[in-house]
Amino acid sequence: SQQGEEDPQALSIQEGENATMNCSYKTSINNLQWYRQNSGRGLVHLILIRSNEREKHSGRLRVTLDTSKKSSSLLITASRAADTASYFCATVSRGGGADGLTFGKGTHLIIQP
Amino acid sequence: DAGITQSPKHKVTETGTPVTLRCHQTENHRYMYWYRQDPGHGLRLIHYSYGVQDTNKGEVSDGYSVSRSNTEDLPLTLESAASSQTSVYFCASPHWTETDTQYFGPGTRLTVL
């Protein structure tokens, strides 16, 4: 069954604006990750946040994690046309990542030039 | 996509025929995974392997099988293709430095008529 649910399903913003995507999950996790998928390509790992972390930054990306609400958000600041892609959250269970990732359904982000 | 290749890139087949999708990784990693991606479902885990001669079922394993005879390859077999198996298939293997995250291959788009 799907662990993560992203919100919104689709998001269209102007270049230069900030984009925020949310992910909710159901069970206890070891960590939560965000991936990007450009059209027709495989997924690319963006950032990982562990269950004992609340916020993490990587370049223009900021991820937050609220384990009490079982939710995470991904903020992309100063968006660029190249950020147009689908974004997926994925969780790793308490047992670790050897059993694979559980993905949400994704948010399709469109950056208007 | 570093180190993971998949073949074919596209395949069209008929219901009831056997199909094998190939995944090859050059990172010498013991763990390999197969996912399918469908609109509205995100990615779902089909099978995974911890090493040679080891295979495990994922969330949506019915109708699929895998075998692991060497470290580099994990072929995915559909014994009798069904229209419900029309999907995009991704192979993945962990990052060496952060083993909970995964590299994904470029994918195989399978259409079952």
Side-chain angles (χ1 to χ4, degrees):
Chain A
S1 60
Q2 296 297 123
Q3 166 75 307
E5 292 283 342
E6 284 91 341
D7 167 48
Q9 289 187 344
L11 178 62
S12 179
I13 61 173
Q14 294 295 123
E15 194 167 19
E17 295 180 339
N18 296 341
T20 299
M21 288 158 273
N22 302 297
C23 168
S24 60
Y25 57 92
K26 298 173 184 174
T27 62
S28 296
I29 61 171
N30 178 292
N31 63 74
L32 183 144
Q33 305 169 35
W34 287 89
Y35 286 78
R36 183 188 72 232
Q37 183 181 35
N38 291 95
S39 180
R41 305 292 295 274
L43 279 73
V44 175
H45 176 255
L46 295 176
I47 194 167
L48 178 152
I49 186 165
R50 301 195 181 281
S51 60
N52 61 353
E53 298 176 310
R54 291 297 166 259
E55 186 171 314
K56 202 163 183 180
H57 296 255
S58 177
R60 293 184 296 112
L61 305 180
R62 172 178 170 257
V63 172
T64 62
L65 180 64
D66 186 335
T67 53
S68 66
K69 295 181 179 178
K70 290 187 169 57
S71 67
S72 172
S73 67
L74 172 68
L75 169 68
I76 303 173
T77 60
S79 63
R80 306 167 180 169
D83 294 329
T84 293
S86 291
Y87 292 82
F88 296 87
C89 68
T91 56
V92 171
S93 68
R94 284 282 185 90
D99 293 346
L101 304 174
T102 303
F103 285 87
K105 298 176 183 180
T107 291
H108 184 54
L109 175 65
I110 297 173
I111 308 300
Q112 307 279 3
Chain B
D1 299 358
I4 298 178
T5 57
Q6 292 184 236
S7 62
K9 188 173 178 64
H10 301 278
K11 185 169 181 68
V12 180
T13 192
E14 294 186 348
T15 300
T17 60
V19 176
T20 297
L21 309 182
R22 305 203 177 274
C23 174
H24 180 82
Q25 55 113 352
T26 59
E27 301 298 314
N28 204 35
H29 212 294
R30 288 173 50 212
Y31 295 179
M32 295 181 74
Y33 304 85
W34 274 105
Y35 296 87
R36 61 177 287 174
Q37 183 177 30
D38 304 289
H41 288 277
L43 278 79
R44 292 178 290 176
L45 183 64
I46 306 172
H47 280 287
Y48 56 103
S49 169
Y50 291 150
V52 176
Q53 302 302 333
D54 176 82
T55 62
N56 303 279
K57 295 181 178 180
E59 178 189 352
V60 290
S61 61
D62 286 350
Y64 302 94
S65 63
V66 292
S67 61
R68 189 90 179 271
S69 59
N70 59 56
T71 302
E72 295 80 16
D73 300 291
L74 186 68
L76 177 70
T77 298
L78 290 66
E79 300 291 348
S80 178
S83 58
S84 60
Q85 294 176 309
T86 292
S87 187
V88 181
Y89 292 85
F90 290 98
C91 180
S93 192
H95 282 241
W96 274 111
T97 54
E98 176 51 80
T99 55
D100 275 358
T101 65
Q102 294 185 0
Y103 279 120
F104 283 81
T108 293
R109 181 174 294 275
L110 176 68
T111 302
V112 183
L113 302 175

